[in-house]
Amino acid sequence: MTLAKIIATSRFLVGQSVQAFGLYAAERSGAPVQAFCRFADGTIHNRNLVYEPDHVVVLDPTLVGPAILDGLKPGGWLLVNTAEAVELLAERFTGQRLAAVDATAIARRHRLGTRSLPIVNTALAGAFGRLMGWSGEEIEAALVHLELVGANLAAAAEAYEAVVTRLPGAAGSSGRPVPAGAADSGPPARPRAPSLLTGNTGLPPATRTGLWATLQPRRQQAVAPCNHVCPAGNDVRGFLQALARDDLEAAASILLRTTPLPAVCGRVCPAPCMDRCNRIGLDGAVQVRELERYVGDHAAYEPPAANGRAERVAVIGSGPAGLTAAYHLALVGYPVVLIEAGERPGGLLRTGIPGYRLPGAVVDREIERILRLGVELRCGRPVDRTSLLRLARQHDALLVATGQQEARSLRLGLGEGGPVEQGLEFLARSKAGRMERLDGEVVLVVGGGNTAVDAARTALRLGAERVTIVYRRTRHEMPAITEEVDQALEEGVELLQLLSPVQLRRAGDAAALAAPYALVCRVMELGEPDESGRRRPVEVAGSDFELACSRVILALGQSADLSVFPDGTEVRDGERLLGLLEKPVFAIGDLATGDGTVASAIGSGRRAALHIHRTLSGEPIGGEEPAGAGRPVDVWSDEVVHPEAMKLHLFEGRQPERGGRLSPWARSWNFEEVALGLEGVAEAKRCLSCGGCTECDRCVTYCPEGVLKRVGSVFEFDYSYCKGCGVCAAECPRNVIFMSHL
């Protein structure tokens, strides 16, 4: 460990990032003590043991054997403390860069330690520095910094000159070493041999430690909170870990198992995964939404479709639920017809979300990927009861994803004409370019969801002089995406809380030409929680007052229009509809759930598609393996890993990397996309992989008995020698290791 520390200090003093640590418990199991050192120009984030070293230094010549070359990279040095000639090492290690120095004799000459236990660290530091091409002054500076002076300096200087090297194929030895990285590229890579970490060293076997243990460690994969709450059912942890490995295509493959719309969701999802991110307790949530958008915008991965099946499926409605259902059915080989009443596919993605949040080109690109799977698109085809029955006769199953078409209204006294209009209609006309300018108008928007915020920001971009959102609860209860509310306020939208509209009337004076109407509002206060879990607004008697306006936009939500279904038909999400139809008919998305988010619609569409697949084929539903499956574990746990189960103090703090966005001034007068996205995927490295192993090796490093080893991605406990102390579980940062009763 001291030698690793000296090497690390010498590199630290020249400005490099360094790391030195030992395998502390190895001696207890009879294995050799090991220490590791890393140094690099950039910041070192790796915390694993060094399984594939660039160079190996052996302090005890009795340990010299084939295992010491395990994983050694081609061209690396093997430096051995030995009195033997380097030629004898060459006979045992052909094709290997070799170096030898009698550090034991040097240490004895300088009286470092005792004759029976000489301390060879400083001598080997000098020899290793010479191999690396470092100056003697650099080694000396490290020793002085560590207060290893006097005889230590002399021993290092002697070994610096005395080290002898031999290159592969060389006829003799030389006291002048060839620096690592010279023209000779070294031998080819060898097959991996049993390493020191396995305990296969030729030493006598260890002794069993007794049978008094009552617990033993086991490994699990638990559920990350981000995965648990994702309405779309995405493997959030899995795609983030792929990005953390800089594997963009693997991340896309993981996302596209569940969602066909990553670029869309990466812009408009309310991101409950970020609200539940365990990293909030450390330094801020991982920016999952931004990273999903990055994958959707940059990955080229195309999901493969299965062979064709005979059964035909019709999907009515091309919003996110219908698109997702068509996608998953096409992936498993069904001929799918996607029927849309509008002139272009996309539903509310096309008509209800402004371009500054979701550009049309993004929607086009995601839909095109779905159509490339063989989905047939029919636009301009509204469906009523008659056509629904006809489609049922022509297909083996129907999916109805028409969304929530019935807008909720208020009786304000002047009817729905004139100054009052629905938010979704207002947004649709704006996106279609059929909305007139609102120059000089005073606009009131009633509601607290995303439609209300979108309508307010759109009105501002259309030239309204003043735009105010009127909401009957407080901002804390608003269902709109928090960032969207923040951006609306930045752009100049006002928010009036705890107000409920009562009546709309014409203004009484002629001076109100810019605002000829008055909206009478009543002050509210929050009472007990209602069925939504939010505190119910309660009227305050005698609190009415007026707000001047020229236009009122209602964004109070929508309800399902069930008129398309024949009389007696029972509508259920994901279950067969009973009634006049003989074929399986399913209602999905907002039509069935009313959740009102793109991510929820995606989840509903996927579940319905998989259910239809099982109904038609009798085959097991795909996608039921645990999210993030990959590394072998003992237990697939359905436990959600909450912050208290994580060892957050073991992780480095690192502030979130958020994508850029246009300034409030630049975006308040046009419909250019506000969010500019991330420039790379470095943010994914902040993911803690809660409940999932990342092979950080803390369990191996801190096992006091040395009974845990890693073979590839498999961690093996030698329970014959495990005392059940629980140190590995205590040191596991991610709640992967747990203690189980015998």
Side-chain angles (χ1 to χ4, degrees):
M1 189 62 214
T2 301
L3 175 56
K5 188 175 181 180
I6 295 170
I7 295 171
T9 301
S10 73
R11 298 303 87 205
F12 172 76
L13 293 176
V14 297
Q16 288 189 299
S17 176
V18 301
Q19 182 187 78
F21 58 97
L23 187 59
Y24 297 105
E27 71 278 10
R28 289 197 178 188
S29 62
V33 178
Q34 289 185 296
F36 308 92
C37 180
R38 288 187 177 95
F39 46 89
D41 293 330
T43 303
I44 297 173
H45 294 289
N46 192 349
R47 293 292 184 270
N48 291 51
L49 306 183
V50 177
Y51 291 98
E52 296 183 349
D54 294 289
H55 311 285
V56 173
V57 181
V58 182
L59 279 69
D60 186 341
T62 65
L63 298 177
V64 173
I68 63 176
L69 297 182
D70 178 40
L72 180 60
K73 295 180 181 177
W77 286 106
L78 172 61
L79 170 61
V80 181
N81 169 24
T82 180
E84 293 182 346
V86 73
E87 288 79 10
L88 295 178
L89 288 175
E91 293 176 3
R92 301 174 64 181
F93 301 106
T94 58
Q96 175 64 50
R97 283 187 170 197
L98 300 170
V101 66
D102 192 352
T104 299
I106 293 173
R108 286 171 175 161
R109 279 195 293 274
H110 293 280
R111 297 184 177 180
L112 295 174
T114 66
R115 186 163 188 80
S116 61
L117 188 62
I119 298 176
V120 299
N121 300 299
T122 51
L124 284 169
F128 184 74
R130 182 67 180 271
L131 294 179
M132 296 296 100
W134 304 336
S135 68
E137 289 76 12
E138 289 176 315
I139 302 300
E140 180 179 342
L143 296 174
V144 171
H145 185 85
L146 295 171
E147 299 183 356
L148 296 171
V149 294
N152 288 294
L153 291 174
E158 181 178 343
Y160 190 89
E161 297 297 331
V163 64
V164 178
T165 64
R166 181 184 178 90
L167 297 180
S173 62
S174 170
R176 298 184 58 80
V178 179
D184 174 70
S185 61
R190 301 175 178 79
R192 292 181 65 87
S195 74
L196 295 177
L197 296 177
T198 69
N200 183 15
T201 65
L203 296 177
T207 304
R208 291 180 182 269
T209 56
L211 301 175
W212 54 80
T214 60
L215 298 171
Q216 65 179 204
R218 301 184 70 193
R219 300 179 71 251
Q220 67 179 346
Q221 176 138 302
V223 180
C226 50
N227 285 27
H228 180 63
V229 300
C230 177
N234 294 339
D235 179 8
V236 179
R237 177 177 61 198
F239 100 82
L240 290 181
Q241 288 301 300
L243 284 182
R245 300 189 301 270
D246 294 317
D247 194 339
L248 179 62
E249 300 309 305
S253 172
I254 292 169
L255 275 174
L256 290 171
R257 292 174 195 165
T258 47
T259 173
L261 305 171
V264 168
C265 259
R267 288 169 166 85
V268 303
C269 182
C273 54
M274 293 172 57
D275 293 336
R276 299 290 183 89
C277 178
N278 284 335
R279 188 136 196 160
I280 291 174
L282 181 62
D283 47 22
V286 177
Q287 300 299 293
V288 178
R289 180 171 51 217
E290 293 269 19
L291 290 165
E292 183 175 358
R293 167 181 171 164
Y294 188 94
V295 173
D297 286 350
H298 294 88
Y301 175 81
E302 290 283 337
N307 294 328
R309 296 175 180 269
E311 301 88 351
R312 293 172 52 82
V313 181
V315 179
I316 302 168
S318 66
L323 290 170
T324 303
Y327 169 79
H328 283 287
L329 288 166
L331 282 180
V332 292
Y334 291 98
V336 181
V337 176
L338 185 60
I339 300 170
E340 167 59 38
E343 295 303 315
R344 301 181 69 188
L348 285 182
L349 300 179
R350 184 79 65 186
T351 63
I353 303 178
Y356 62 80
R357 286 182 61 202
L358 181 60
V362 174
V363 179
D364 292 339
R365 188 175 70 240
E366 304 260 74
I367 292 176
E368 182 58 33
R369 176 171 51 232
I370 298 169
L371 298 181
R372 282 198 294 270
L373 294 173
V375 174
E376 178 187 350
L377 175 63
R378 299 176 185 174
C379 289
R381 305 286 184 87
V383 174
D384 55 17
R385 291 185 178 187
T386 302
S387 53
L388 184 73
L389 290 169
R390 183 176 66 253
L391 288 168
R393 290 191 294 269
Q394 296 171 346
H395 297 83
D396 296 282
L398 293 182
L399 279 168
V400 182
T402 51
Q404 295 194 318
Q405 304 289 344
E406 297 292 327
R408 297 170 187 162
S409 188
L410 287 176
R411 295 183 179 180
L412 297 176
L414 288 180
E416 294 301 311
V420 180
E421 60 184 316
Q422 289 292 338
L424 287 177
E425 294 177 2
F426 173 79
L427 291 172
R429 286 195 293 132
S430 171
K431 288 203 73 172
R434 294 184 282 103
M435 186 67 209
E436 68 277 6
R437 295 284 301 175
L438 305 182
D439 296 328
E441 289 200 20
V442 178
V443 179
L444 298 179
V445 181
V446 181
N450 288 320
T451 299
V453 177
D454 288 343
R457 297 175 71 185
T458 297
L460 207 63
R461 284 163 169 75
L462 291 174
E465 180 177 331
R466 189 167 73 250
V467 180
T468 304
I469 295 175
V470 178
Y471 184 51
R472 62 179 184 155
R473 291 184 171 95
T474 69
R475 179 179 173 180
H476 178 72
E477 285 81 28
M478 290 181 72
I481 298 174
T482 301
E483 292 85 353
E484 300 299 325
V485 179
D486 291 339
Q487 292 177 25
L489 297 177
E490 290 173 358
E491 293 166 6
V493 173
E494 299 177 24
L495 173 61
L496 295 181
Q497 308 171 72
L498 292 171
L499 291 180
S500 181
V502 176
Q503 182 184 13
L504 181 66
R505 62 177 186 79
R506 295 188 179 276
D509 57 79
L513 296 179
Y517 300 96
L519 182 65
V520 180
C521 295
R522 187 164 297 159
V523 176
M524 312 296 283
E525 60 184 11
L526 295 181
E528 295 300 317
D530 60 15
E531 61 277 2
S532 71
R534 298 176 295 170
R535 295 175 64 189
R536 184 187 305 275
V538 179
E539 296 181 353
V540 177
S543 60
D544 293 5
F545 69 99
E546 297 180 352
L547 294 174
C549 62
S550 55
R551 185 185 300 263
V552 176
I553 300 175
L554 300 180
L556 304 173
Q558 295 81 39
S559 58
D561 178 6
L562 304 180
S563 61
V564 66
F565 296 106
D567 292 336
T569 299
E570 184 178 354
V571 180
R572 295 184 185 274
D573 180 23
E575 297 181 5
R576 183 170 179 173
L577 294 172
L578 306 176
L580 302 179
L581 303 179
E582 297 178 357
K583 303 292 179 64
V585 179
F586 300 84
I588 62 173
D590 283 352
L591 176 65
T593 68
D595 289 337
T597 68
V598 172
S600 293
I602 289 172
S604 176
R606 180 176 64 89
R607 290 190 302 270
L610 295 176
H611 189 73
I612 280 186
H613 174 48
R614 183 173 60 184
T615 301
L616 295 179
S617 68
E619 298 174 5
I621 299 177
E624 292 185 334
E625 72 278 0
R631 293 189 172 93
V633 295
D634 300 318
V635 177
W636 292 107
S637 172
D638 57 3
E639 174 189 356
V640 179
V641 182
H642 297 297
E644 58 271 16
M646 298 286 290
K647 312 293 193 307
L648 293 178
H649 64 281
L650 297 177
F651 298 95
E652 296 179 5
R654 180 177 171 185
Q655 291 301 307
E657 180 181 341
R658 296 180 172 87
R661 63 188 187 195
L662 297 178
S663 69
W665 177 85
R667 66 190 189 226
S668 62
W669 50 272
N670 62 49
F671 286 86
E672 294 296 319
E673 186 171 14
V674 170
L676 304 179
L678 295 170
E679 295 182 357
V681 297
E683 172 67 10
K685 298 182 186 299
R686 295 182 65 246
C687 174
L688 302 179
S689 188
C690 306
C693 181
T694 61
E695 300 173 4
C696 71
D697 280 358
R698 287 188 65 87
C699 54
V700 177
T701 302
Y702 285 98
C703 174
E705 303 304 321
V707 299
L708 174 59
K709 63 181 179 180
R710 174 154 74 93
V711 181
S713 294
V714 178
F715 288 77
E716 297 179 354
F717 295 96
D718 187 346
Y719 292 120
S720 298
Y721 299 95
C722 177
K723 291 180 178 178
C725 66
V727 171
C728 54
E731 291 296 332
C732 178
R734 298 171 173 85
N735 197 41
V736 173
I737 298 180
F738 68 101
M739 301 304 295
S740 173
H741 285 281
L742 294 173

